[in-house]
């Protein structure tokens, strides 16, 4: 994607910039708009951040005053608010997860309203779905009955975004991300994390113990598609976006067993064992896939990576990282 030269350059603030999505989204945004246009923020100490990854600020997004200072200092026009606690980690300390996920979103929405920002992006998730959703393919307008505090925060967050849009005219846009698979930064605290960890373990040790059953199908997506979806949604004309809440976006739906079969095409010696934990119940409450007809219709969403392409690309990027490791499996 390229910046439309007839439009002024945005000044974008990203929270959770060093997380799994933020790491790649910041790079993609800087590619389009230029490095200095994107202010990265996260909890990490700013002194350790190299020059080519600046501007960067240490920010606890619960600190609304500091958030507001940054908006004013940089003349921020857009926010991508990614900081959150995910599904599995959230269950360990539900009230803490609720506080972080909800209060941070409310801080962002308030600041965006008060400073008349042009646009806000906030990710929702497949975690908004629950047992009453169609198991195979969840429709856009499914009844939402999330079973985790993370999912409840995403459902409530969708409603808050709609509220600010309707009452204050704030242009806030959202996607229900599936499980995201990427190689640049680790996944952190989600139920779908196995689909990232399995690549690292396969290359490092030649085996993996999976915490989900082999036949647990979940909606998944390669990060390249997720980042492109985000940029495309944010650049779509406002009048095209008819969805009041967050858009379903689909790409992949696979089980651990299907991912293993695909991995074994490259790593014939790779072995898997299964030992389920609490994350199995969370996965059981989510659908296997989502119906993304609305996203396809409204802003031409279409994924590019299937299971084979995603697996090959992950291995191509991660294999060199483990190459010097003597236990490492050989990619064929
Ligand atoms: N990947 C997330 C999780 O597993 C779902 O949005 O929590």
């Amino acid at each position: 994607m390229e910046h439309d030269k007839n439009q002024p350059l945005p000044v974008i603030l990203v929270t959770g910039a060093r997380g799994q999505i933020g790491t790649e989204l910041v790079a993609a945004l800087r590619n389009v708009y230029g490095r200095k246009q994107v202010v990265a923020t996260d909890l990490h100490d700013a002194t350790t951040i190299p020059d080519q990854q600046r501007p960067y600020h240490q920010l606890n997004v619960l600190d609304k005053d500091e958030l507001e200072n940054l908006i004013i200092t940089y003349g921020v026009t857009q926010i991508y608010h990614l900081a959150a606690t995910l599904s599995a980690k959230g269950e360990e300390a539900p009230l803490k997860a609720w506080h972080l996920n909800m209060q941070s979103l409310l801080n962002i929405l308030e600041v965006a309203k008060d400073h008349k920002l042009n646009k806000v992006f906030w990710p929702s998730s497949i975690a908004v779905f629950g047992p009453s959703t169609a198991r195979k393919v969840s429709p856009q307008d499914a009844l939402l009955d999330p079973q985790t505090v993370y999912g409840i925060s995403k459902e409530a967050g969708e409603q808050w975004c709609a509220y600010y849009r309707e009452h204050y005219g704030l242009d806030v846009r959202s996607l229900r991300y599936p499980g995201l698979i990427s190689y640049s930064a680790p996944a952190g605290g989600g139920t779908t994390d196995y689909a990232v960890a399995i690549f690292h373990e396969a290359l490092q040790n030649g085996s993996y113990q999976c915490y989900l059953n082999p036949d647990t199908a979940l909606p998944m997506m390669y990060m390249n598609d997720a980042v492109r979806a985000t940029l495309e949604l944010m650049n779509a004309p406002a009048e095209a976006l008819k969805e009041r809440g967050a858009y379903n976006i689909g790409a992949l739906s696979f089980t651990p067993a299907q991912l293993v079969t695909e991995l074994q095409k490259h790593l014939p010696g790779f072995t898997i064992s299964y030992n389920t934990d609490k994350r199995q119940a969370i996965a059981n409450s989510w659908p296997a896939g989502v119906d993304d007809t609305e996203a396809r219709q409204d802003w031409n969403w279409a994924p590019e990576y299937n299971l084979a392409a995603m697996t090959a690309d992950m291995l191509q990027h991660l294999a060199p990282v483990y190459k010097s490791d003597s236990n490492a499996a050989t990619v064929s």
Side-chain angles (χ1 to χ4, degrees), residues 20 85-89 124-128 148 150 154 176-180 187-193 211 218-220 282 286:
Q20 190 197 6
T85 300
L86 298 190
S87 60
K89 190 154 178 246
S124 186
S125 159
I126 52 160
V128 294
T148 61
Y150 171 68
K154 291 298 182 187
R176 288 174 181 154
Y177 286 134
L180 297 179
T191 302
T192 57
D193 291 9
Y211 55 80
L218 289 170
M220 298 278 188
I282 300 176
W286 292 349

Side-chain angles (χ1 to χ4, degrees), residues 31-96:
N31 223 3
V32 177
Y33 301 111
R35 179 169 61 84
K36 291 188 179 153
Q37 301 306 115
V38 182
V39 183
T41 71
D42 210 317
L43 289 172
H44 298 256
D45 180 358
T47 55
T48 62
I49 305 294
D51 278 352
Q52 65 273 23
Q53 288 175 29
R54 292 171 187 271
Y56 172 89
H57 282 267
Q58 185 173 29
L59 173 70
N60 178 343
V61 77
L62 294 173
D63 183 347
K64 185 162 171 255
D65 292 341
E66 184 56 17
L67 171 67
E68 204 151 18
N69 279 340
L70 290 175
I71 302 293
I72 295 165
T73 306
Y74 282 93
V76 168
T77 61
Q78 298 185 9
I79 299 180
Y80 287 65
H81 174 39
L82 307 177
T85 300
L86 298 190
S87 60
K89 190 154 178 246
E91 294 309 286
E92 290 165 18
L95 296 187
K96 198 173 160 206

